[in-house]
Amino acid sequence: MSNLDLETHSINVKCPKCSRIVSETIKHLKNNPVTYCNTCNDSFDVQEEDINKGIDRISATIASLKESLKKGW
Ligand SMILES: [Zn+2]
């Protein structure tokens, strides 16, 4: 099923300590820009820049999805 709700999408952010990629939803990051790394067993701040980059990417994906839906695939 297509998901056109931006906030329910996840973006990948990198842990500043171990460089592990952690997936977190936009909804969560907007409310609280902190996420948890299972490798470090510690939470870290997500940079606003990274959140905005992720939002831009997902917005583009959603926009192209909507285009596809308009065309009826
Ligand atoms: Zn880590």
Side-chain angles (χ1 to χ4, degrees):
M1 202 171 91
S2 305
N3 186 351
L4 300 177
D5 185 357
L6 180 76
E7 295 213 334
T8 64
H9 284 264
S10 296
I11 61 172
N12 293 328
V13 291
K14 200 192 262 185
C15 173
K17 289 181 200 159
C18 69
S19 295
R20 184 195 153 98
I21 301 296
V22 180
S23 182
E24 189 55 86
T25 63
I26 289 172
K27 187 176 184 152
H28 171 97
L29 292 171
K30 273 187 170 176
N31 291 329
N32 178 25
V34 172
T35 193
Y36 189 80
C37 175
N38 287 318
T39 305
C40 302
N41 283 322
D42 201 5
S43 54
F44 63 92
D45 293 338
V46 180
Q47 300 302 309
E48 196 181 337
E49 191 192 332
D50 290 338
I51 299 173
N52 288 335
K53 257 189 262 171
I55 289 174
D56 281 353
R57 207 173 320 131
I58 291 162
S59 296
T61 304
I62 290 173
S64 71
L65 255 174
K66 281 182 178 166
E67 276 304 307
S68 305
L69 289 174
K70 242 191 278 175
K71 287 175 198 153
W73 299 98

